[in-house]
Structures are given as C-alpha cells and as structure tokens.
Amino acid sequence: MHGGAGRRPISAKQARSLEQALDQGYRLLEAGVPALEAVEAAIRILEASGLFNAGLGSNRQLDDVQRMDAAIMDGRTLRAGAVASIERVMHPITAARLVTERTPHVLLVGEPATRFARYVDVDPLPRHATERRRPTGRRRSHPNALAVRLFQAMARQKVMRKASGQETVGAVALDASGTVAAGASTGGVDVMLPGRVGDTPLIGCGVYADDEAGAISMTGLGESIIRVGAAKEIAQLLDLGWKCSRAADTVLNRLVRRTGGSAGTIVISTTGSFAIRHVTPRMAAGYWDGSGSPIVRDRFH
Ligand code: ASP
C-alpha cells in the first residue's frame, strides 16, 4: 500500500493507519476474499482516517472545494471503475468499485458521479468536512477575484512540478486464486484549478491490473504520470517478463527524463513478487505478506 510520494516524512499516526490497513487487507485475503475487495477495504481505512489526502482528508481545489478521484481494477476480468471530481463522499474508492458493478461504464465524473454515489449509498462526508473554510467576503465575490486566483495558480504551475501531490493512497494485492487488483484514491495535488483531474481515475495512468502482468498503483505528479501512461507501461514490461523493480525504475526514470516530474509506484506480479519504488525524496508505503508484522516506512531506495 502507499500513502503518497513527495517530500514530507510520514507521521507516526499515518504509519499506524497504514499498518492497520495492511493488516485488514491481508486478513481479508487470508480469508479467501478477492483481491479487489481487499484493496477496496484497505483503502477505505485510509480514506476515513482523515490523515491522508483522500476521502475525509482530501486537499481542496482553488475554489475551496474538495473534488476527489479514485479508481479500482480487477486483473482477472480487466473490469475497472473510476470516479473523477466527485464531491462530498467519504469513500470514492467504493464509488469506483460500484461503477464496475452497477454500470456498464468505466468512469463517471463531476456532479453526476456524486449523485451516483448517493444513489448507491456511498457514505457522505460529515457536514463539517465539506463546509467552506474561508469567509465569502467582498474580495471573494468580486467578479475578478476568481480569475486572479486562477491566474496566480497557473503561474505557480512551475512550482507544482516540484511541489507535486502528497499523501494520496493506493493498494495492490494478489489473492489466493492468483488474481491481482489495484486501486488508488486522492484529493489531488497541493495547488490545482477547479475541475483539475489527475492520473488516479485514468485507467492505465494511475492504476492498472492484469493477471497476465501484475497490478500497479501510482502516486506523484498526475500531470507527468498521465503523459507517460505510467501504470500501463509498467504492466507491459511485466508482461514481457521484467521484474517489478526493473519495470518500475525504468518507467519512473522515463517520467523524470521526459516530463521533469516525479512519482512513486507500488507494483505486484502474479507470482507475488513486488516493488515499492519512488524518485521523490520520500514515499509513505508498506507491505505485508502475513509473516511478522506489516512493514511501513517513508523511503524505499
Ligand atoms: N497523483 C495524484 C494526482 O496527481 C497526487 C498524488 O499522488 O499525490 O492527483
């Protein structure tokens, strides 16, 4: 599992939450639950914790609204579900899973995605979490105020390259039947225009899972991850027989070289080998195969 790649060190609370999520996910796998369900259950723990940039703890866009992205994919059937720019739900990952189960589609976006989540009973965020934090003063209601802020944000795009996202969450798993699954959930990056969507809900960019290759969940600057189609690219290398770590390093290095961005990834193969790799200074992540206790750190070099 990962809790995002970036510069910040992992906090003790975040480390505990990741351990809990790994524990829960592994126990489900041990009980014979499919990888997809274990991935969803583990991510839900991090979304509800308020300690990560997902679900309750999601970043806000420049208009002070939380808009979240999530995706989940099953390696056996290649069924995938995703939501983008969804608002006011505690568990975007569950909304994504329900897109695979209750609709013939892969991706729902914006207000209709939020309405879908309501319809299928995904828990809402508590009211206090969705209230706007800043007063709606005269400056805010000035017709140019939003445009000025958007302009400033765009000027900071250069800063974004370095700032990237942080504390996005994700998971990959291999179940007893040999099926892999991948998922991720995020509130986006630190600075973003209203309506910005990252890599997380885009299948083949933020997540990918295929029993003929493996499962991948990305984190980092979404704009760079999208441009190299990172998750699918790693899957293709696994399909060619590459090791998880070599495939991950190759694609992360290409991402840096071609886009100037930075990212991290968790990768698992259908034989159970896995890699946690990042080109950011840190990446909060952990793993557990059931022996001893879950390992959680913020550097995997
Ligand atoms: N990849 C996410 C995004 O760009 C952010 C992150 O992973 O921290 O939305």
Side-chain angles (χ1 to χ4, degrees), residues 74-79 177 179-180 209-211:
D74 173 53
R76 189 174 65 81
T77 57
L78 297 189
R79 277 171 62 185
S177 74
T179 283
V180 290
D210 180 353
D211 280 1

Side-chain angles (χ1 to χ4, degrees), residues 158-215:
K158 280 191 198 140
V159 178
M160 263 184 67
R161 281 191 171 199
K162 287 219 170 74
S164 138
Q166 303 226 81
E167 300 174 339
T168 286
V169 304
V172 293
L174 168 66
D175 67 24
S177 74
T179 283
V180 290
S185 179
T186 187
V189 287
D190 294 339
V191 180
M192 55 189 160
L193 298 179
R196 179 263 186 194
V197 171
D199 60 296
T200 305
L202 305 181
I203 302 303
C205 295
V207 302
Y208 202 72
D210 180 353
D211 280 1
E212 293 181 5

Side-chain angles (χ1 to χ4, degrees), residues 43 49 94 103 166 284:
I43 288 178
S49 72
T94 297
T103 83
Q166 303 226 81

